[in-house]
Amino acid sequence: MENRTPPFYFNLTMFVNIRHYRLVAFTFCVLLYSFIVSANLLLILVITQHRALHQPMYMFIALLSLNSLYGSTGFFPRFLMDLLADVHLIPYPACFIQIYVIYTYSCNDLTILSVMAYDRYVAVCHPLHYYRKITPKTVVVLSVLAWIFPALLVASVISASAQLSLCGNEIQKIFCANWNVIKLSCVSIDVINILGMIVTITTIFFPLSYVVYSYLRIFLVCWKQTAEFKGKVLQTCLPHLVSFIVHCVTGFCDIALSRFQLEEKNPLAAVILSLEFVVIPPVLNPLVYALNLPDIRRHKHKVSK
């Protein structure tokens, strides 16, 4: 009699490609997760403890680090358990919770980066009106919206996906992803495709477009200014720009992986690419901001002593 996986579970099939390296991968990922947690917590601690850093730009940086902790915690504990397990089954509810956390983490990053782009745009292009436009109330409102807006939109897509009748339970990935679940559907997915397109446009393309627009305006203002002015703008904008580019590249790799079925051609490359957007931004963000912003670097040394 053929054994069947209980329908209450999904089977994450991509772990078979790293079974020979799982102890090495587990050790490396534990160290990586420890670094992500400690580096982002340190950055948040530095910003919250020093009144000199209680400015909009630094508060948004702390929000970005908080989101990195949120996304990493939603991914790494389960991933580390699966690395050591012989069977990689995940219950339906846990799978959809993981999808929700990972997708909201990614969308939150983009909305926070777009809010930070607005902050830099006002600071560079309208410096005399900065403290009138970027008030403490504005910072709170923008921060809340940056979290709530993606949360509601992602919840709508995942709720629709959870209602689908599925004809299989195998997910070709090392974590649950919405598109991989949708591909298992036995019924039409036209409505979900339309809903997913709306969510993609509002949570990805709108923020991306605004960040590009903001930096075009900043570039035009800097074009006519002195070298000293350009240096100051570069010092504050470069970390944000690096974070934005890294998020775009890693996000594109994950989308390409889902659509072009790389796991069938090069499974190991598929595993590595699927990890990029949940690993690289949380690792890189605290390094970029701590090393490039002198105010954070100076106060970080005080906390570390």
Side-chain angles (χ1 to χ4, degrees), residues 6-164:
F8 188 69
Y9 292 87
F10 285 111
N11 184 16
L12 303 174
T13 62
M14 292 296 288
F15 278 97
V16 70
N17 299 309
I18 53 177
R19 59 187 172 187
H20 299 300
Y21 314 100
R22 61 181 184 176
L23 291 178
V24 174
F26 177 82
T27 304
F28 176 75
C29 288
V30 166
L31 295 174
L32 193 64
Y33 182 46
S34 300
F35 174 80
I36 289 172
V37 172
S38 58
N40 283 283
L41 278 177
L42 177 62
L43 191 57
I44 293 171
L45 186 65
V46 169
I47 292 172
T48 53
Q49 280 198 346
H50 297 278
R51 294 187 61 85
L53 300 179
H54 292 180
Q55 301 177 34
M57 180 177 71
Y58 299 113
M59 300 309 292
F60 292 137
I61 292 172
L63 191 65
L64 198 63
S65 285
L66 184 63
N67 189 54
S68 293
L69 292 174
Y70 165 70
S72 300
T73 303
F75 168 73
F76 271 102
R78 173 77 204 192
F79 177 65
L80 292 171
M81 288 191 296
D82 281 331
L83 279 175
L84 297 180
D86 294 320
V87 179
H88 306 101
L89 301 179
I90 179 170
Y92 269 38
C95 184
F96 285 110
I97 290 172
Q98 188 180 61
I99 292 173
Y100 178 79
V101 172
I102 291 175
Y103 279 50
T104 50
Y105 147 75
S106 183
C107 293
N108 287 348
D109 253 11
L110 276 177
T111 52
I112 294 168
L113 287 169
S114 63
V115 167
M116 294 171 73
Y118 171 70
D119 174 72
R120 292 300 83 206
Y121 163 73
V122 175
V124 175
C125 301
H126 304 283
L128 297 179
H129 302 284
Y130 180 78
Y131 289 105
R132 182 175 62 85
K133 291 185 176 183
I134 311 296
T135 63
K137 182 179 178 180
T138 303
V139 172
V140 172
V141 171
L142 290 175
S143 299
V144 171
L145 289 176
W147 281 74
I148 291 180
F149 184 63
L152 296 176
L153 290 176
V154 172
S156 66
V157 176
I158 294 177
S159 297
S161 301
Q163 304 303 316
L164 291 173

Side-chain angles (χ1 to χ4, degrees), residues 35 39-40 43 65 239 242-243 280-293 296-297 300:
F35 174 80
N40 283 283
L43 191 57
S65 285
V242 170
S243 296
I280 294 179
V283 169
L284 200 60
N285 285 339
L287 292 177
V288 167
Y289 288 107
L291 293 175
N292 286 277
L293 295 177
I296 290 181
R297 193 164 61 244
K300 178 177 71 68

Side-chain angles (χ1 to χ4, degrees), residues 68-264:
S68 293
L69 292 174
Y70 165 70
S72 300
T73 303
F75 168 73
F76 271 102
R78 173 77 204 192
F79 177 65
L80 292 171
M81 288 191 296
D82 281 331
L83 279 175
L84 297 180
D86 294 320
V87 179
H88 306 101
L89 301 179
I90 179 170
Y92 269 38
C95 184
F96 285 110
I97 290 172
Q98 188 180 61
I99 292 173
Y100 178 79
V101 172
I102 291 175
Y103 279 50
T104 50
Y105 147 75
S106 183
C107 293
N108 287 348
D109 253 11
L110 276 177
T111 52
I112 294 168
L113 287 169
S114 63
V115 167
M116 294 171 73
Y118 171 70
D119 174 72
R120 292 300 83 206
Y121 163 73
V122 175
V124 175
C125 301
H126 304 283
L128 297 179
H129 302 284
Y130 180 78
Y131 289 105
R132 182 175 62 85
K133 291 185 176 183
I134 311 296
T135 63
K137 182 179 178 180
T138 303
V139 172
V140 172
V141 171
L142 290 175
S143 299
V144 171
L145 289 176
W147 281 74
I148 291 180
F149 184 63
L152 296 176
L153 290 176
V154 172
S156 66
V157 176
I158 294 177
S159 297
S161 301
Q163 304 303 316
L164 291 173
S165 297
L166 304 180
C167 291
N169 73 327
E170 291 191 349
I171 295 178
Q172 290 185 311
K173 219 169 176 68
I174 54 176
F175 57 88
C176 288
N178 198 50
W179 176 246
N180 295 79
V181 173
I182 291 173
K183 288 193 295 185
L184 300 174
S185 174
C186 302
V187 297
S188 173
I189 59 172
D190 291 341
V191 174
I192 292 181
N193 279 336
I194 294 172
L195 184 59
M197 188 177 297
I198 293 172
V199 172
T200 300
I201 292 172
T202 52
T203 61
I204 297 178
F205 289 108
F206 282 172
L208 290 180
S209 300
Y210 182 75
V211 173
V212 171
Y213 165 78
S214 299
Y215 273 97
L216 284 175
R217 294 293 302 272
I218 290 172
F219 175 78
L220 291 174
V221 169
C222 291
W223 183 261
K224 301 177 182 179
Q225 299 296 326
T226 64
E228 182 182 0
F229 181 87
K230 292 176 184 177
K232 290 180 179 179
V233 171
L234 183 65
Q235 189 178 61
T236 58
C237 291
L238 183 61
H240 175 262
L241 198 55
V242 170
S243 296
F244 172 69
I245 293 172
V246 167
H247 190 88
C248 290
V249 172
T250 55
F252 174 79
C253 288
D254 185 69
I255 293 172
L257 176 64
S258 298
R259 300 292 176 172
F260 299 125
Q261 298 182 337
L262 180 62
E263 63 275 1
E264 296 178 3

